[in-house]
Amino acid sequence: MPDKFDIIGDIHGHADALRRLLASLGYQELDGLFRHPERRVIFVGDFVDRGPEQLAVLQIAKRMCDAGLALAVMGNHEFNALGWAEPDGEGGFLRPHTEKNSHQHQEFLGQIGERSAAHQQALAWFKTLPVWLDFPGLRVIHACWNSVAQETLARCLDPGHRFTQQGFRMANQRGTPAYRAAEVLLKGPEVPLPDGRFFFDKDGHRRQDVRIRWWDPAAVTYRSAALGMDGKEATLPDLPLVTDYQYKDETPVFFGHYWLRGAPSLSNENAACLDFSVAKGGFLTAYRWSGERSLSPHNIVYVPAG
């Protein structure tokens, strides 16, 4: 019988919602560990930044992983946290300490204490997280499953799909193939908007590129594929996309990252986005996978942010 997994979306420091979701999934806290008699958890990453209980989230997730009760992949926020702390050898850091980057990360650093023992322990755990998991019957990645990007990034990873020390530095060198591959896998593919268009994202940043619904077989034009534009997607021309990132495999893939809104629902029968904006008052969401090749909306489980 295959493993049974409960795949949990982006948490972003919302420990109370995580405890309630685990309880609703049938996990009981025993000796400081959430356990289920028949199932394990897979976390899709983005444990930190934004929320009020980031240390508690790390404690719950890391303890479960250390005990073999859970697995996890790296999210872009873990990738960014490592880059923030890693010197670049030229007096700066792999992730520049700009005002924008500082604003995104300051809540985590304030809660954990920058350069504290707890901070160092968190960073050490982040380094152990693979970029993706590929099992018989299911796949898990934070933002986008794309074989071309995975093949490109493979030279930066060990056999368990974890960054090597040198590979992590390569993936942070802007403009390189490794950098672009890491961007696709951990932050999602983006395409330039046509006709010089731009929009402001959820954090107020001006963007001329837009993320796309790579998991949606019907997302073949700018208008149908764009997301994250706060309803302005309908203003885009109905022109074919020039780049094809579509997921066409039959193996179910689970991911997070995209700040979807509304009541959690299934993306399609072989792809499930599990990020429904818990850090923006939405829902912490999971999918209960028991070996099925076609995903079912009945297996989506979620709790409100608070």
Side-chain angles (χ1 to χ4, degrees), residues 220-263:
V220 295
T221 68
Y222 286 96
R223 186 181 301 171
S224 61
L227 74 160
M229 294 181 63
D230 290 330
K232 300 183 182 69
E233 293 88 347
T235 67
L236 295 178
D238 213 20
L239 298 173
L241 285 174
V242 295
T243 306
D244 181 16
Y245 286 97
Q246 273 196 6
Y247 183 74
K248 298 177 181 178
D249 297 346
E250 294 183 357
T251 302
V253 60
F254 299 90
F255 54 98
H257 187 63
Y258 291 99
W259 297 88
L260 300 186
R261 297 182 178 183

Side-chain angles (χ1 to χ4, degrees), residues 25-210:
L25 291 166
Y27 290 76
Q28 293 185 326
E29 188 174 8
L30 302 170
D31 301 324
L33 287 168
F34 284 88
R35 307 170 183 266
H36 193 285
E38 298 178 347
R39 308 182 67 88
R40 290 192 290 166
V41 163
I42 301 179
F43 297 103
V44 306
D46 277 12
F47 299 99
V48 300
D49 293 328
R50 299 185 185 274
E53 296 181 283
Q54 298 183 41
L55 274 69
V57 166
L58 291 178
Q59 184 179 64
I60 292 168
K62 184 178 184 298
R63 283 181 176 179
M64 290 182 71
C65 289
D66 289 347
L69 302 171
L71 302 168
V73 296
M74 179 181 288
N76 63 300
H77 283 260
E78 287 75 53
F79 181 84
N80 290 347
L82 289 168
W84 175 274
E86 184 68 27
D88 63 4
E90 299 178 357
F93 295 85
L94 292 182
R95 182 167 175 81
H97 288 194
T98 63
E99 182 178 353
K100 172 186 172 183
N101 292 344
S102 176
H103 176 74
Q104 184 184 75
H105 203 40
Q106 64 184 0
E107 187 66 34
F108 173 64
L109 296 176
Q111 289 183 33
I112 202 166
E114 190 167 10
R115 293 184 292 275
S116 67
H119 188 208
Q120 297 306 314
Q121 291 168 4
L123 295 174
W125 184 54
F126 295 166
K127 291 177 181 179
T128 72
L129 301 177
V131 179
W132 69 82
L133 295 171
D134 192 358
F135 294 146
L138 86 160
R139 295 165 168 173
V140 182
I141 196 163
H142 182 66
C144 178
W145 191 276
N146 181 265
S147 59
V148 174
Q150 287 165 300
E151 290 169 8
T152 299
L153 196 65
R155 60 192 290 234
C156 300
L157 309 175
D158 68 14
H161 310 311
R162 297 174 291 263
F163 280 107
T164 63
Q165 183 175 0
Q166 183 59 30
F168 184 76
R169 301 186 73 85
M170 292 170 59
N172 277 273
Q173 294 174 2
R174 186 177 292 271
T176 64
Y179 177 91
R180 290 190 291 270
E183 289 278 301
V184 169
L185 301 176
L186 292 172
K187 302 180 183 181
E190 296 187 356
V191 298
L193 288 170
D195 306 324
R197 294 170 185 251
F198 64 90
F199 70 100
F200 293 94
D201 67 13
K202 66 183 186 308
D203 296 317
H205 301 131
R206 187 178 189 271
R207 293 187 178 272
Q208 293 177 288
D209 299 324
V210 68

